[in-house]
């Protein structure tokens, strides 16, 4: 019986990965998301210095929480420069990649619990070449709002600036998932906030300093996200 279940699961996974199935599903998701995003009255703050820095040919590392991903496709203007979004290599992550692709962004998959040395080196070359990288600090499976140190390691390796991004909405709905992903209700207000992370990252980074910086990144991203939520009328974080 376990063998049959594994075979059935492999067939399902194979079907979900095939362009025949994944293409229409991703287009349906994109259409629904686009309707919500384009129907929202947005206020954006802090993006001008980011745009100027990127237009000058500098790649940056954009960091947000997984629960705020729905706003990410329009949080980056393709006129600024190229953005490559890091996703999970698992099926949900690949679907996110397809959706981001339909908004004009590139994606690169990384495997959970793998070294990903080759992918990390590829990302470093991309950033040095002027491509910016988008990364959910708590992805792909959480815990929610618990930052990983990966963006810090990439910034140390490339010398690129880290920018924090978040979005919030006056009215919203949440997906029943580990991160309670929030989506705007079309026809209402939303806000996007951009902020350069000003922490100094030394070239030689020991375990203790890495943890100090990781915790600061987590705290600062939570603070920015709470600010966005409060400006949309919520007392506490919405997810």
């Amino acid at each position: 019986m376990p063998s049959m279940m594994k075979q059935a699961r492999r067939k399902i996974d194979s079907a979900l990965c095939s362009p025949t199935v994944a293409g229409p599903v991703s287009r349906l998701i994109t259409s629904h998301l686009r309707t919500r995003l384009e129907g929202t009255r947005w206020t954006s703050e802090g993006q001008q210095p980011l745009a100027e820095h990127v237009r000058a040919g500098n790649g940056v590392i954009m960091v947000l929480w997984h629960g705020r991903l729905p706003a990410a496709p329009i949080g980056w203007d393709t006129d600024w420069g190229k953005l490559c979004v890091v996703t999970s290599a698992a099926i949900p992550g690949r679907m996110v990649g397809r959706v981001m692709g339909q908004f004009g962004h590139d994606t690169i998959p990384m495997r959970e619990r793998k070294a990903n040395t080759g992918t990390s080196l590829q990302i470093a070359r991309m950033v040095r070449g002027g491509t910016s990288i988008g990364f959910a600090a708590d992805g792909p499976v959480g815990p929610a709002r618990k930052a990983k140190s990966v963006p810090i390691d990439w910034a140390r390796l490339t010398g690129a600036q880290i920018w924090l991004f978040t979005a919030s909405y006056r009215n919203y709905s949440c997906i029943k998932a580990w991160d309670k992903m929030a989506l705007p209700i079309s026809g209402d207000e939303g806000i996007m906030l951009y902020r350069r992370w000003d922490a100094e990252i030394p070239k030689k980074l020991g375990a203790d300093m890495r943890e100090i910086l990781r915790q600061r990144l987590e705290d600062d991203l939570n603070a920015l996200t709470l600010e966005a939520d409060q400006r949309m009328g919520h007392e506490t974080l919405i997810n």
Side-chain angles (χ1 to χ4, degrees):
M1 181 65 70
S3 178
M4 291 179 64
M5 291 292 290
K6 286 182 180 179
Q7 291 178 9
R9 179 59 185 270
R10 281 197 292 269
K11 289 181 179 179
I12 293 171
D13 288 350
S14 178
L16 289 173
C17 288
S18 71
T20 304
V21 175
V25 171
S26 66
R27 287 193 292 273
L28 183 64
I29 294 171
T30 301
S31 176
H32 178 72
L33 181 57
R34 196 184 295 276
T35 298
R36 289 200 181 210
L37 294 175
E38 292 181 353
T40 300
R41 301 188 302 278
W42 292 102
T43 298
S44 297
E45 293 183 9
Q47 76 274 33
Q48 191 58 36
L50 169 62
E52 291 174 357
H53 183 69
V54 173
R55 282 174 176 151
N58 304 296
V60 301
I61 299 166
M62 296 293 297
V63 182
L64 77 165
W65 290 134
H66 200 277
R68 307 303 169 107
L69 270 175
I74 64 169
W76 182 274
D77 190 332
T78 54
D79 287 341
W80 300 347
K82 199 171 185 179
L83 176 70
C84 183
V85 180
V86 179
T87 69
S88 165
I91 290 172
R94 291 185 181 275
M95 187 61 69
V96 169
R98 283 180 172 271
V99 172
M100 293 297 291
Q102 292 183 49
F103 280 91
H105 308 304
D106 293 336
T107 61
I108 186 168
M110 295 189 77
R111 296 187 180 277
E112 181 74 357
R113 301 185 181 90
K114 298 287 185 179
N116 290 295
T117 303
T119 304
S120 294
L121 291 173
Q122 181 182 353
I123 288 171
R125 287 193 295 269
M126 292 166 65
V127 173
R128 288 174 182 145
T131 296
S132 295
I133 300 296
F135 185 80
D138 54 348
V141 292
R145 292 187 291 105
K146 184 72 172 178
K148 295 177 172 63
S149 62
V150 176
I152 295 166
D153 293 329
W154 286 342
R156 182 188 64 81
L157 187 62
T158 63
Q161 295 179 2
I162 293 178
W163 279 76
L164 310 182
F165 169 77
T166 197
S168 186
Y169 328 106
R170 182 77 59 184
N171 288 295
Y172 62 94
S173 60
C174 286
I175 296 173
K176 292 182 179 180
W178 64 268
D179 60 348
K180 298 180 182 176
M181 185 178 286
L183 297 96
I185 301 297
S186 184
D188 217 309
E189 294 178 81
I191 189 169
M192 296 183 193
L193 298 180
Y194 305 75
R195 190 161 297 164
R196 182 186 172 186
W197 197 51
D198 59 359
E200 292 290 334
I201 302 175
K203 285 294 183 181
K204 292 184 178 180
L205 191 59
D208 290 345
M209 180 55 69
R210 179 180 281 105
E211 173 55 24
I212 289 171
L213 288 169
R214 186 209 64 78
Q215 186 62 60
R216 179 177 169 184
L217 179 68
E218 182 177 304
D219 293 343
D220 289 349
L221 188 51
N222 272 330
L224 185 67
T225 304
L226 178 60
E227 178 184 336
D229 286 347
Q230 289 177 335
R231 291 178 64 174
M232 287 291 99
H234 312 293
E235 293 184 4
T236 58
L237 290 164
I238 63 176
N239 62 358

